[in-house]
Coordinates of all heavy atoms in Angstrom, one line a residue:
M1 N 0.8 -1.2 0.0 CA 0.0 0.0 0.0 C 0.9 1.3 0.0 O 0.6 2.2 -0.7 CB -1.0 0.0 1.2 CG -1.9 1.1 1.2 SD -3.3 0.8 2.2 CE -3.5 2.4 3.0
A2 N 2.0 1.3 0.7 CA 2.9 2.4 0.7 C 3.5 2.6 -0.6 O 3.6 3.8 -1.0 CB 4.0 2.3 1.8
F3 N 3.8 1.6 -1.3 CA 4.4 1.7 -2.7 C 3.3 2.4 -3.6 O 3.7 3.3 -4.3 CB 4.7 0.3 -3.2 CG 5.1 0.4 -4.7 CD1 6.3 0.9 -5.1 CD2 4.2 -0.1 -5.6 CE1 6.6 1.0 -6.5 CE2 4.5 0.0 -7.0 CZ 5.7 0.5 -7.4
L4 N 2.1 1.9 -3.5 CA 1.1 2.5 -4.3 C 0.8 3.9 -4.1 O 0.7 4.7 -5.0 CB -0.2 1.7 -4.2 CG -1.4 2.0 -5.1 CD1 -1.0 1.8 -6.5 CD2 -2.6 1.2 -4.7
A5 N 0.8 4.3 -2.8 CA 0.6 5.7 -2.5 C 1.8 6.6 -3.0 O 1.6 7.7 -3.5 CB 0.5 5.9 -1.0
G6 N 3.0 6.0 -3.0 CA 4.2 6.8 -3.5 C 4.1 6.9 -5.0 O 4.6 7.9 -5.5
T7 N 3.5 5.9 -5.7 CA 3.5 6.0 -7.2 C 2.5 7.0 -7.7 O 2.5 7.5 -8.8 CB 3.2 4.6 -7.8 OG1 2.0 4.2 -7.4 CG2 4.4 3.7 -7.6
M8 N 1.5 7.3 -6.8 CA 0.4 8.2 -7.2 C 1.0 9.6 -7.5 O 0.5 10.3 -8.4 CB -0.7 8.4 -6.1 CG -1.5 7.1 -5.9 SD -2.7 7.2 -4.6 CE -3.8 8.5 -5.2
L9 N 2.0 10.1 -6.8 CA 2.5 11.4 -7.0 C 3.7 11.3 -7.9 O 4.2 12.4 -8.4 CB 2.9 12.0 -5.6 CG 1.7 12.2 -4.7 CD1 2.2 12.7 -3.4 CD2 0.7 13.1 -5.3
A10 N 4.3 10.2 -8.1 CA 5.6 10.1 -8.9 C 5.3 9.8 -10.4 O 6.3 9.7 -11.2 CB 6.4 9.0 -8.4
A11 N 4.1 9.8 -10.9 CA 3.8 9.5 -12.3 C 4.2 10.6 -13.2 O 4.1 11.7 -12.8 CB 2.3 9.2 -12.4
S12 N 4.7 10.2 -14.4 CA 5.1 11.2 -15.4 C 3.7 11.6 -16.1 O 2.9 10.8 -16.3 CB 6.0 10.7 -16.4 OG 5.4 9.7 -17.1
P13 N 3.6 12.9 -16.4 CA 2.3 13.4 -16.9 C 1.8 12.7 -18.2 O 0.6 12.5 -18.4 CB 2.6 14.9 -17.2 CG 3.7 15.2 -16.2 CD 4.5 14.0 -16.1
A14 N 2.7 12.3 -19.0 CA 2.3 11.6 -20.3 C 1.7 10.2 -20.0 O 0.9 9.8 -20.8 CB 3.5 11.5 -21.2
L15 N 2.1 9.5 -19.0 CA 1.7 8.2 -18.7 C 0.6 8.2 -17.6 O 0.0 7.2 -17.4 CB 2.8 7.3 -18.3 CG 3.9 7.2 -19.3 CD1 5.1 6.3 -18.8 CD2 3.4 6.5 -20.6
A16 N 0.5 9.3 -16.9 CA -0.4 9.3 -15.7 C -1.8 9.6 -16.1 O -2.1 10.1 -17.2 CB 0.1 10.4 -14.7
I17 N -2.7 9.4 -15.1 CA -4.1 9.8 -15.2 C -4.2 11.0 -14.3 O -3.7 11.0 -13.2 CB -5.0 8.7 -14.7 CG1 -4.8 7.5 -15.6 CG2 -6.4 9.1 -14.6 CD1 -5.0 6.2 -15.0
T18 N -4.8 12.1 -14.8 CA -5.0 13.3 -14.1 C -6.4 13.3 -13.5 O -7.4 13.1 -14.2 CB -4.8 14.6 -15.0 OG1 -3.5 14.5 -15.6 CG2 -4.9 15.8 -14.2
V19 N -6.5 13.6 -12.2 CA -7.8 13.7 -11.5 C -7.9 15.2 -10.9 O -7.0 15.6 -10.2 CB -8.0 12.7 -10.4 CG1 -9.4 12.9 -9.8 CG2 -7.8 11.3 -11.0
T20 N -8.9 15.9 -11.3 CA -9.1 17.2 -10.8 C -10.4 17.3 -10.0 O -11.4 16.9 -10.5 CB -9.1 18.3 -11.9 OG1 -8.0 18.2 -12.7 CG2 -9.3 19.7 -11.4
N21 N -10.3 17.9 -8.8 CA -11.5 18.1 -7.9 C -12.1 19.4 -8.2 O -11.6 20.5 -7.8 CB -11.2 18.0 -6.5 CG -12.4 18.1 -5.6 OD1 -13.5 18.2 -6.0 ND2 -12.1 18.0 -4.3
Q22 N -13.2 19.4 -9.0 CA -13.9 20.7 -9.3 C -15.0 21.1 -8.3 O -15.7 22.1 -8.5 CB -14.5 20.5 -10.7 CG -13.6 20.5 -11.9 CD -14.2 20.4 -13.2 OE1 -15.4 20.2 -13.3 NE2 -13.4 20.6 -14.2
D23 N -15.1 20.3 -7.2 CA -16.1 20.6 -6.2 C -15.5 21.6 -5.2 O -14.4 21.9 -5.2 CB -16.5 19.4 -5.4 CG -17.5 18.5 -6.0 OD1 -18.2 19.0 -7.0 OD2 -17.8 17.4 -5.6
K24 N -16.4 22.2 -4.4 CA -16.0 23.2 -3.4 C -15.6 22.5 -2.1 O -15.1 23.1 -1.2 CB -17.2 24.1 -3.1 CG -17.5 25.0 -4.3 CD -18.6 25.9 -4.0 CE -19.0 26.8 -5.2 NZ -20.1 27.6 -5.0
A25 N -15.7 21.1 -2.1 CA -15.3 20.4 -0.9 C -14.2 19.4 -1.2 O -14.0 19.0 -2.3 CB -16.6 19.6 -0.4
E26 N -13.5 19.0 -0.1 CA -12.4 18.0 -0.2 C -13.1 16.6 -0.5 O -14.1 16.3 0.1 CB -11.6 18.0 1.0 CG -10.5 16.9 1.0 CD -9.7 16.9 2.3 OE1 -10.2 16.3 3.3 OE2 -8.7 17.6 2.4
H27 N -12.5 15.7 -1.2 CA -12.9 14.4 -1.5 C -11.8 13.4 -1.3 O -10.6 13.8 -1.5 CB -13.5 14.2 -2.9 CG -14.8 14.9 -3.1 ND1 -16.0 14.4 -2.5 CD2 -15.1 16.0 -3.7 CE1 -17.0 15.2 -2.8 NE2 -16.5 16.2 -3.5
T28 N -12.1 12.1 -1.0 CA -11.0 11.1 -0.9 C -11.1 10.3 -2.1 O -12.2 9.7 -2.5 CB -11.3 10.3 0.4 OG1 -11.2 11.1 1.5 CG2 -10.2 9.2 0.5
L29 N -10.0 10.2 -2.9 CA -9.9 9.4 -4.1 C -9.2 8.0 -3.7 O -8.3 8.0 -3.0 CB -9.0 10.1 -5.1 CG -8.7 9.4 -6.4 CD1 -9.9 9.4 -7.2 CD2 -7.5 10.1 -7.2
T30 N -9.9 7.0 -4.2 CA -9.4 5.7 -3.9 C -8.9 5.1 -5.2 O -9.5 5.1 -6.2 CB -10.5 4.7 -3.3 OG1 -11.0 5.3 -2.1 CG2 -9.9 3.3 -3.0
V31 N -7.6 4.5 -5.2 CA -7.0 3.8 -6.3 C -7.0 2.3 -6.0 O -6.3 2.0 -5.1 CB -5.6 4.4 -6.6 CG1 -5.0 3.7 -7.8 CG2 -5.7 5.9 -6.8
D32 N -7.6 1.5 -6.8 CA -7.5 0.1 -6.6 C -6.7 -0.5 -7.8 O -7.0 -0.3 -8.9 CB -9.0 -0.6 -6.7 CG -9.8 -0.3 -5.5 OD1 -9.2 -0.4 -4.4 OD2 -11.0 0.0 -5.7
Q33 N -5.7 -1.2 -7.4 CA -4.8 -2.0 -8.4 C -4.8 -3.4 -7.9 O -3.9 -3.7 -7.1 CB -3.4 -1.4 -8.5 CG -3.4 -0.1 -9.2 CD -2.0 0.4 -9.4 OE1 -1.3 0.7 -8.5 NE2 -1.7 0.6 -10.7
G34 N -5.7 -4.2 -8.4 CA -5.7 -5.6 -7.9 C -6.1 -5.7 -6.5 O -7.1 -5.1 -6.1
E35 N -5.2 -6.3 -5.7 CA -5.5 -6.4 -4.2 C -5.0 -5.1 -3.5 O -5.3 -5.0 -2.3 CB -4.9 -7.7 -3.7 CG -5.6 -8.9 -4.2 CD -5.1 -10.2 -3.6 OE1 -4.5 -10.1 -2.5 OE2 -5.3 -11.2 -4.2
A36 N -4.1 -4.3 -4.1 CA -3.6 -3.1 -3.5 C -4.6 -2.0 -3.6 O -5.3 -1.8 -4.6 CB -2.3 -2.8 -4.2
Q37 N -4.7 -1.2 -2.6 CA -5.6 -0.1 -2.5 C -4.9 1.1 -1.8 O -4.3 0.9 -0.8 CB -6.9 -0.4 -1.8 CG -7.9 0.6 -1.8 CD -9.2 0.1 -1.1 OE1 -9.4 -1.0 -0.9 NE2 -10.0 1.1 -0.7
A38 N -5.1 2.3 -2.4 CA -4.5 3.5 -1.7 C -5.6 4.6 -1.8 O -6.4 4.7 -2.7 CB -3.2 3.9 -2.4
E39 N -5.5 5.4 -0.8 CA -6.5 6.6 -0.7 C -5.7 7.9 -0.6 O -4.6 7.9 0.0 CB -7.4 6.5 0.5 CG -8.4 5.4 0.3 CD -9.4 5.3 1.4 OE1 -9.2 5.9 2.5 OE2 -10.5 4.7 1.2
Q40 N -6.2 8.9 -1.2 CA -5.6 10.3 -1.2 C -6.7 11.3 -1.1 O -7.6 11.3 -1.9 CB -4.7 10.5 -2.5 CG -4.1 11.9 -2.5 CD -3.3 12.1 -3.8 OE1 -3.1 11.2 -4.5 NE2 -2.8 13.3 -3.9
K41 N -6.5 12.2 -0.2 CA -7.5 13.3 0.0 C -7.1 14.4 -1.1 O -5.9 14.7 -1.4 CB -7.4 13.9 1.3 CG -8.0 13.0 2.4 CD -8.0 13.7 3.7 CE -8.4 12.6 4.8 NZ -9.6 12.9 5.4
L42 N -8.2 14.9 -1.7 CA -8.0 15.9 -2.8 C -8.8 17.1 -2.5 O -10.0 17.1 -2.4 CB -8.4 15.3 -4.1 CG -7.9 15.9 -5.4 CD1 -6.4 16.0 -5.5 CD2 -8.5 15.2 -6.6
A43 N -8.0 18.2 -2.1 CA -8.7 19.4 -1.7 C -9.5 20.0 -2.9 O -9.3 19.7 -4.0 CB -7.6 20.4 -1.3
A44 N -10.5 20.9 -2.5 CA -11.3 21.6 -3.6 C -10.4 22.3 -4.5 O -9.5 23.0 -4.1 CB -12.3 22.5 -2.9
G45 N -10.6 22.1 -5.8 CA -9.8 22.8 -6.8 C -8.5 22.2 -7.1 O -7.8 22.6 -8.0
A46 N -8.0 21.1 -6.4 CA -6.7 20.5 -6.6 C -6.8 19.4 -7.6 O -7.8 18.9 -7.9 CB -6.2 19.9 -5.2
S47 N -5.6 19.1 -8.1 CA -5.4 18.0 -9.1 C -4.3 17.1 -8.6 O -3.4 17.5 -7.8 CB -5.0 18.6 -10.5 OG -6.1 19.3 -11.0
T48 N -4.3 15.9 -9.1 CA -3.2 15.0 -8.8 C -3.0 14.1 -10.0 O -3.9 14.0 -10.9 CB -3.6 14.1 -7.5 OG1 -2.4 13.3 -7.2 CG2 -4.7 13.1 -7.8
E49 N -1.8 13.5 -10.1 CA -1.5 12.6 -11.2 C -1.4 11.2 -10.5 O -0.8 11.0 -9.5 CB -0.1 12.9 -11.7 CG 0.1 14.3 -12.3 CD -0.6 14.4 -13.6 OE1 -0.7 13.4 -14.4 OE2 -1.1 15.6 -13.9
V50 N -2.1 10.2 -11.2 CA -2.2 8.8 -10.7 C -1.5 7.9 -11.7 O -1.9 8.0 -12.9 CB -3.6 8.4 -10.5 CG1 -3.6 7.0 -9.9 CG2 -4.2 9.4 -9.4
E51 N -0.6 7.1 -11.3 CA 0.0 6.1 -12.2 C -0.7 4.8 -12.0 O -0.8 4.3 -10.8 CB 1.5 6.0 -12.0 CG 2.2 5.0 -13.0 CD 3.7 5.0 -12.8 OE1 4.2 5.7 -11.9 OE2 4.3 4.2 -13.5
C52 N -1.2 4.2 -13.1 CA -1.9 2.9 -12.9 C -1.2 1.8 -13.9 O -1.8 1.5 -14.9 CB -3.3 3.1 -13.4 SG -4.3 4.0 -12.2
K53 N 0.0 1.4 -13.5 CA 0.6 0.3 -14.3 C -0.2 -0.9 -14.2 O -0.6 -1.3 -13.2 CB 2.0 0.1 -13.7 CG 3.0 1.2 -13.9 CD 4.3 0.8 -13.3 CE 5.3 2.0 -13.5 NZ 6.6 1.7 -13.0
G54 N -0.5 -1.5 -15.4 CA -1.3 -2.6 -15.5 C -2.8 -2.5 -15.2 O -3.5 -3.4 -15.1
G55 N -3.2 -1.2 -15.2 CA -4.7 -0.9 -15.0 C -5.1 -0.7 -13.6 O -4.4 -1.2 -12.7
C56 N -6.1 0.0 -13.4 CA -6.6 0.3 -12.0 C -8.1 0.8 -12.1 O -8.6 1.0 -13.2 CB -5.8 1.3 -11.3 SG -5.9 3.0 -12.0
E57 N -8.7 1.0 -11.0 CA -10.0 1.6 -10.9 C -9.9 2.7 -9.9 O -9.3 2.5 -8.8 CB -11.1 0.6 -10.5 CG -12.5 1.2 -10.4 CD -13.6 0.2 -10.2 OE1 -13.8 -0.6 -11.1 OE2 -14.2 0.3 -9.1
L58 N -10.5 3.8 -10.3 CA -10.5 5.0 -9.4 C -12.0 5.2 -8.9 O -12.9 5.0 -9.7 CB -10.0 6.2 -10.1 CG -8.7 6.2 -10.8 CD1 -8.4 7.5 -11.5 CD2 -7.6 5.9 -9.7
R59 N -12.1 5.7 -7.7 CA -13.5 6.0 -7.2 C -13.3 7.1 -6.1 O -12.3 7.2 -5.6 CB -14.2 4.8 -6.7 CG -13.7 4.2 -5.5 CD -14.5 2.9 -5.1 NE -14.1 2.4 -3.9 CZ -13.1 1.6 -3.7 NH1 -12.4 1.2 -4.7 NH2 -12.8 1.1 -2.5
V60 N -14.4 7.8 -5.9 CA -14.5 8.8 -4.9 C -15.3 8.1 -3.7 O -16.3 7.6 -4.0 CB -15.2 10.1 -5.4 CG1 -15.5 11.0 -4.3 CG2 -14.4 10.7 -6.5
R61 N -14.7 8.3 -2.5 CA -15.4 7.7 -1.4 C -16.8 8.2 -1.3 O -17.1 9.4 -1.4 CB -14.7 8.0 -0.1 CG -15.3 7.3 1.1 CD -14.7 7.7 2.4 NE -13.3 7.2 2.5 CZ -12.4 7.7 3.3 NH1 -12.7 8.6 4.2 NH2 -11.2 7.2 3.3
G62 N -17.8 7.2 -1.2 CA -19.2 7.6 -1.0 C -19.9 7.7 -2.4 O -21.1 7.9 -2.3
S63 N -19.2 7.6 -3.5 CA -20.0 7.8 -4.8 C -20.7 6.5 -5.3 O -21.6 6.6 -6.1 CB -19.0 8.3 -5.9 OG -18.1 7.3 -6.3
G64 N -20.2 5.4 -4.8 CA -20.9 4.2 -5.2 C -20.5 3.5 -6.5 O -20.9 2.4 -6.8
Y65 N -19.6 4.1 -7.3 CA -19.1 3.5 -8.5 C -17.7 4.0 -8.8 O -17.3 5.0 -8.3 CB -20.1 3.7 -9.7 CG -20.0 5.2 -10.2 CD1 -19.2 5.4 -11.3 CD2 -20.7 6.2 -9.6 CE1 -19.1 6.7 -11.8 CE2 -20.6 7.5 -10.1 CZ -19.8 7.7 -11.2 OH -19.7 9.0 -11.7
G66 N -17.0 3.3 -9.7 CA -15.7 3.7 -10.1 C -15.5 3.8 -11.5 O -16.4 3.5 -12.3
R67 N -14.3 4.3 -11.9 CA -14.0 4.4 -13.4 C -12.6 3.6 -13.6 O -11.8 3.6 -12.7 CB -13.7 5.9 -13.7 CG -15.0 6.7 -13.6 CD -16.0 6.4 -14.6 NE -17.1 7.3 -14.5 CZ -18.1 7.4 -15.4 NH1 -18.0 6.7 -16.5 NH2 -19.0 8.2 -15.2
S68 N -12.5 3.0 -14.8 CA -11.3 2.3 -15.1 C -10.6 3.1 -16.2 O -10.8 2.8 -17.4 CB -11.6 0.9 -15.6 OG -12.2 0.2 -14.6
P69 N -9.8 4.1 -15.9 CA -9.2 4.9 -16.9 C -8.0 4.3 -17.5 O -7.5 3.2 -17.0 CB -8.7 6.1 -16.1 CG -8.5 5.6 -14.7 CD -9.5 4.5 -14.5
E70 N -7.5 4.8 -18.6 CA -6.3 4.4 -19.3 C -5.3 5.5 -19.2 O -5.6 6.7 -18.9 CB -6.6 4.1 -20.8 CG -7.6 3.0 -20.9 CD -7.9 2.6 -22.4 OE1 -7.3 3.2 -23.3 OE2 -8.9 1.8 -22.6
K71 N -4.0 5.2 -19.6 CA -2.9 6.2 -19.5 C -3.3 7.4 -20.2 O -3.9 7.4 -21.3 CB -1.7 5.6 -20.1 CG -1.1 4.5 -19.3 CD 0.1 3.9 -20.0 CE 0.6 2.7 -19.3 NZ 1.7 2.0 -20.1
G72 N -3.1 8.6 -19.6 CA -3.3 9.9 -20.2 C -4.8 10.4 -20.1 O -5.0 11.6 -20.5
D73 N -5.6 9.6 -19.6 CA -7.0 10.1 -19.4 C -7.1 11.2 -18.3 O -6.2 11.3 -17.4 CB -7.9 8.9 -18.9 CG -8.4 8.0 -20.0 OD1 -8.3 8.4 -21.2 OD2 -9.0 7.0 -19.7
K74 N -8.1 12.1 -18.4 CA -8.3 13.1 -17.5 C -9.7 12.9 -16.9 O -10.6 12.7 -17.7 CB -8.2 14.5 -18.2 CG -6.8 14.7 -18.7 CD -6.7 16.1 -19.3 CE -5.4 16.4 -20.0 NZ -4.2 16.0 -19.3
L75 N -9.8 12.9 -15.6 CA -11.0 12.8 -14.9 C -11.2 13.9 -14.0 O -10.3 14.6 -13.5 CB -11.0 11.4 -14.1 CG -11.0 10.2 -14.9 CD1 -9.6 9.6 -15.0 CD2 -11.9 9.1 -14.3
V76 N -12.5 14.2 -13.7 CA -12.9 15.3 -12.7 C -13.9 14.7 -11.7 O -14.6 13.8 -11.9 CB -13.5 16.5 -13.5 CG1 -12.5 17.1 -14.4 CG2 -14.7 16.1 -14.2
I77 N -13.8 15.4 -10.5 CA -14.7 15.1 -9.5 C -15.7 16.3 -9.5 O -15.3 17.4 -9.4 CB -14.1 15.0 -8.1 CG1 -13.1 13.8 -8.1 CG2 -15.2 14.8 -7.0 CD1 -12.2 13.8 -6.9
D78 N -17.0 16.0 -9.8 CA -18.0 17.0 -9.9 C -19.3 16.6 -9.1 O -19.8 15.5 -9.4 CB -18.3 17.3 -11.3 CG -19.3 18.4 -11.5 OD1 -19.3 19.4 -10.8 OD2 -20.2 18.2 -12.4
E79 N -19.7 17.3 -8.1 CA -20.8 17.0 -7.3 C -20.6 15.6 -6.6 O -21.5 14.8 -6.5 CB -22.1 17.0 -8.1 CG -22.4 18.4 -8.5 CD -23.8 18.5 -9.3 OE1 -24.5 17.6 -9.3 OE2 -24.0 19.6 -9.9
G80 N -19.4 15.3 -6.2 CA -19.1 14.1 -5.5 C -18.9 12.9 -6.4 O -18.7 11.8 -5.9
M81 N -19.1 13.0 -7.7 CA -19.0 11.9 -8.6 C -17.8 12.1 -9.5 O -17.3 13.2 -9.8 CB -20.2 11.9 -9.5 CG -21.5 11.8 -8.7 SD -21.7 10.3 -7.7 CE -22.2 9.2 -9.0
L82 N -17.2 10.9 -9.9 CA -16.0 10.9 -10.7 C -16.4 10.7 -12.2 O -17.2 9.8 -12.5 CB -15.1 9.7 -10.3 CG -13.7 9.7 -11.0 CD1 -12.9 10.9 -10.6 CD2 -13.0 8.4 -10.5
H83 N -16.0 11.6 -13.1 CA -16.3 11.6 -14.5 C -15.1 11.7 -15.3 O -14.2 12.3 -14.9 CB -17.3 12.7 -14.9 CG -18.5 12.8 -14.0 ND1 -19.7 12.1 -14.3 CD2 -18.8 13.6 -12.9 CE1 -20.6 12.4 -13.4 NE2 -20.1 13.3 -12.6
F84 N -15.1 11.2 -16.6 CA -14.1 11.5 -17.6 C -14.3 12.9 -18.0 O -15.5 13.3 -18.1 CB -14.2 10.5 -18.8 CG -13.7 9.1 -18.5 CD1 -14.6 8.1 -18.1 CD2 -12.3 8.9 -18.4 CE1 -14.1 6.9 -17.8 CE2 -11.9 7.6 -18.2 CZ -12.8 6.6 -17.8
A85 N -13.3 13.7 -18.2 CA -13.4 15.1 -18.5 C -14.2 15.3 -19.8 O -14.8 16.3 -20.0 CB -12.1 15.7 -18.6
S86 N -14.2 14.3 -20.7 CA -14.9 14.4 -22.0 C -16.3 14.1 -21.9 O -17.0 14.3 -22.9 CB -14.2 13.4 -23.0 OG -14.4 12.1 -22.5
E87 N -16.9 13.7 -20.8 CA -18.3 13.4 -20.7 C -19.1 14.7 -20.6 O -18.7 15.7 -19.9 CB -18.6 12.6 -19.4 CG -18.0 11.2 -19.5 CD -18.3 10.4 -18.3 OE1 -18.3 10.9 -17.2 OE2 -18.4 9.1 -18.4
A88 N -20.2 14.7 -21.3 CA -21.1 15.9 -21.3 C -21.6 16.2 -19.9 O -21.8 15.3 -19.1 CB -22.3 15.6 -22.2
G89 N -21.7 17.5 -19.6 CA -22.3 17.9 -18.4 C -21.2 18.2 -17.3 O -21.5 18.6 -16.3
V90 N -20.0 17.8 -17.6 CA -18.9 18.1 -16.6 C -18.4 19.5 -16.8 O -18.2 20.0 -17.9 CB -17.7 17.1 -16.9 CG1 -16.5 17.5 -16.0 CG2 -18.1 15.7 -16.7
T91 N -18.3 20.2 -15.7 CA -17.8 21.6 -15.7 C -16.6 21.8 -16.5 O -15.6 21.1 -16.2 CB -17.6 22.1 -14.3 OG1 -18.8 21.9 -13.5 CG2 -17.3 23.6 -14.2
G92 N -16.5 22.6 -17.4 CA -15.3 22.9 -18.2 C -15.1 21.9 -19.4 O -14.2 22.0 -20.1
S93 N -16.0 21.0 -19.6 CA -15.9 20.1 -20.7 C -16.2 20.7 -22.0 O -17.1 21.6 -22.1 CB -16.9 18.9 -20.5 OG -16.9 18.1 -21.6
I94 N -15.4 20.4 -23.0 CA -15.7 21.0 -24.3 C -16.8 20.3 -25.0 O -17.3 20.7 -26.0 CB -14.4 20.9 -25.2 CG1 -14.0 19.5 -25.4 CG2 -13.3 21.8 -24.6 CD1 -12.9 19.3 -26.4
N95 N -17.4 19.2 -24.4 CA -18.4 18.5 -25.0 C -19.8 18.8 -24.3 O -20.7 18.1 -24.5 CB -18.2 17.0 -24.9 CG -17.0 16.6 -25.7 OD1 -16.7 17.1 -26.7 ND2 -16.3 15.5 -25.2
M96 N -19.9 19.9 -23.6 CA -21.1 20.2 -23.0 C -22.2 20.5 -24.0 O -21.9 21.3 -25.0 CB -21.0 21.4 -22.0 CG -20.2 21.0 -20.8 SD -20.2 22.4 -19.6 CE -21.9 22.5 -19.2
P97 N -23.4 20.0 -23.9 CA -24.4 20.3 -25.0 C -24.8 21.8 -25.0 O -24.8 22.4 -24.0 CB -25.6 19.4 -24.6 CG -25.4 19.1 -23.1 CD -23.9 19.2 -22.8
N98 N -25.1 22.2 -26.2 CA -25.6 23.6 -26.3 C -27.1 23.6 -25.9 O -27.9 23.0 -26.6 CB -25.4 24.0 -27.8 CG -25.9 25.4 -28.0 OD1 -26.6 26.0 -27.2 ND2 -25.5 25.9 -29.2
S99 N -27.4 24.2 -24.9 CA -28.8 24.2 -24.3 C -29.8 24.8 -25.3 O -30.9 24.4 -25.3 CB -28.9 25.0 -23.0 OG -28.5 26.3 -23.2
G100 N -29.4 25.7 -26.2 CA -30.3 26.2 -27.2 C -30.6 25.2 -28.3 O -31.6 25.4 -29.0
A101 N -29.8 24.2 -28.5 CA -30.0 23.3 -29.5 C -30.8 22.0 -29.1 O -31.2 21.2 -29.9 CB -28.7 22.8 -30.1
M102 N -31.1 22.0 -27.8 CA -31.8 20.8 -27.3 C -33.3 21.0 -27.6 O -33.9 22.1 -27.4 CB -31.6 20.7 -25.8 CG -30.1 20.4 -25.4 SD -29.9 20.3 -23.7 CE -30.5 18.6 -23.4
K103 N -33.9 19.9 -27.9 CA -35.4 19.8 -28.2 C -36.1 19.2 -27.1 O -35.6 18.3 -26.4 CB -35.7 19.0 -29.5 CG -35.0 19.7 -30.7 CD -35.3 18.9 -31.9 CE -34.7 19.5 -33.2 NZ -34.9 18.8 -34.4
K104 N -37.3 19.6 -26.9 CA -38.2 19.1 -25.8 C -38.9 17.9 -26.3 O -39.3 17.7 -27.4 CB -39.2 20.1 -25.3 CG -38.4 21.2 -24.5 CD -39.4 22.1 -24.0 CE -38.7 23.3 -23.2 NZ -39.6 24.2 -22.6

């Protein structure tokens, strides 16, 4: 577990997964790599780099589900939930739908 926690901050940006907390509250990020698990608190507005050699699952404590990112992915915590940055509806996402173009 100590090794896993150390690799969370030592990842190179090109190979790492970036997680940004866009909420106004601190959240705890959990990284599962097989049987190894590490947690890291992420302050409001803060980002971290996570290295997931061989794959991993990330989740926010209390959110009820996780994400299985790949190298270079960017994820955000928004309203206590973990999302890929490219998913619609995420703050700052370039894929947010144009509300004027939506039909009822």
Side-chain angles (χ1 to χ4, degrees):
M1 186 162 138
F3 169 75
L4 186 61
T7 62
M8 287 178 68
L9 299 176
S12 67
L15 300 176
I17 296 153
T18 303
V19 180
T20 303
N21 182 0
Q22 293 183 344
D23 275 351
K24 295 179 181 178
E26 177 180 85
H27 290 285
T28 300
L29 178 68
T30 303
V31 180
D32 287 320
Q33 286 186 302
E35 293 184 21
Q37 181 177 346
E39 292 186 339
Q40 177 180 354
K41 291 185 186 242
L42 198 56
S47 293
T48 191
E49 302 285 330
V50 179
E51 185 174 356
C52 289
K53 291 182 180 179
C56 68
E57 182 171 292
L58 304 177
R59 67 181 186 279
V60 174
R61 183 184 294 164
S63 71
Y65 74 98
R67 298 291 185 166
S68 298
E70 297 181 10
K71 293 176 185 173
D73 279 347
K74 297 183 185 318
L75 292 96
V76 297
I77 300 170
D78 182 42
E79 296 183 10
M81 303 297 281
L82 188 63
H83 305 276
F84 287 97
S86 61
E87 290 177 328
V90 174
T91 304
S93 171
I94 60 173
N95 294 328
M96 289 183 67
N98 180 346
S99 60
M102 296 180 76
K103 296 180 182 179
K104 291 185 180 179

